[in-house]
């Protein structure tokens, strides 16, 4: 495996909503967002969604106890094969839930990269092209979404 180091991050603003619907029943979010006054506030998930996939967890951010919850702690940097396989499996779970008309929230710390990887892969599972999936995420969540070039490369090459 080629060792890749993530380029230094530039200052990226918080999303302006706790979560955004990318396609019907598929939502993407983070654990914080910037409100109308520009103040960073917590994004707390209760029972708004049938399925929540968390790629980062923080105490007190939900979801509610009766919500189907999947958790995978992955870094916002280069991933190894097992992490990529686990992300793909979460995307399959999300796609199956969307097909069953269940609402799905995929979230990470900031709601841009790790969640973007799984949401984009979910869109691929639902029949979208890579370019369309990335464009949808950037249009519906934030132009800053999927700014991790490793993740874009993984999507383009395939998570296999």
């Amino acid at each position: 495996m080629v060792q890749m180091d993530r380029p230094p991050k530039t200052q990226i603003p918080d999303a302006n909503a706790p979560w955004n619907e990318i396609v019907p029943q598929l939502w993407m979010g983070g654990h914080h967002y910037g409100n109308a006054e520009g103040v960073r506030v917590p994004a707390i998930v209760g029972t708004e969604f049938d399925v929540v996939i968390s790629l980062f967890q923080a105490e007190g951010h939900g979801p509610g106890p009766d919500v189907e919850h999947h958790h995978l702690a992955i870094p916002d940097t280069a991933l190894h094969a097992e992490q990529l396989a686990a992300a793909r499996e979460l995307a399959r779970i999300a796609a199956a839930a969307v097909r069953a008309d269940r609402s799905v929230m995929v979230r990470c710390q900031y709601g841009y990269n790790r969640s973007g990887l799984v949401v984009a892969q979910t869109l691929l599972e639902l029949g979208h092209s890579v370019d369309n999936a990335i464009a949808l995420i950037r249009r519906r969540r934030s132009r800053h979404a999927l700014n991790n070039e490793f993740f874009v490369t993984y999507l383009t090459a395939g998570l296999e």
Side-chain angles (χ1 to χ4, degrees):
M1 180 172 116
V2 175
Q3 179 63 30
M4 298 187 285
D5 293 320
R6 180 150 188 220
K9 254 189 171 175
T10 58
Q11 185 62 27
I12 295 174
D14 287 325
N16 60 7
W19 43 74
N20 301 89
E21 192 172 31
I22 307 304
V23 296
Q25 299 294 66
L26 180 59
W27 298 75
M28 181 172 155
H31 278 66
H32 293 88
Y33 69 102
N35 68 12
E37 292 79 38
V39 176
R40 183 177 236 216
V41 294
I44 300 172
V45 176
T47 58
E48 299 91 337
F49 306 99
D50 298 313
V51 179
V52 174
I53 295 172
S54 299
L55 302 159
F56 171 87
Q57 280 189 289
E59 191 170 329
H61 286 255
D66 296 329
V67 174
E68 180 182 333
H69 187 215
H70 302 270
H71 175 246
L72 172 66
I74 59 172
D76 188 4
T77 187
L79 302 177
H80 56 69
E82 292 83 12
Q83 291 168 321
L84 290 170
R88 181 154 192 190
E89 182 55 30
L90 289 175
R92 286 183 180 137
I93 290 168
V98 168
R99 285 187 194 104
D101 202 32
R102 299 176 72 209
S103 59
V104 178
M105 156 66 97
V106 181
R107 65 185 183 160
C108 59
Q109 187 170 4
Y110 295 100
Y112 288 152
N113 286 312
R114 291 170 279 189
S115 57
L117 176 69
V118 172
V119 168
Q121 185 63 39
T122 301
L123 292 170
L124 296 178
E125 297 283 336
L126 294 171
H128 292 261
S129 70
V130 172
D131 290 342
N132 180 256
I134 292 169
L136 267 172
I137 288 167
R138 288 179 176 159
R139 187 169 59 249
R140 304 257 167 89
R141 176 65 178 159
S142 168
R143 67 183 178 91
H144 301 291
L146 284 170
N147 63 67
N148 180 328
E149 292 180 28
F150 294 142
F151 290 4
V152 172
T153 299
Y154 294 145
L155 291 164
T156 303
L159 297 189
E160 299 84 27

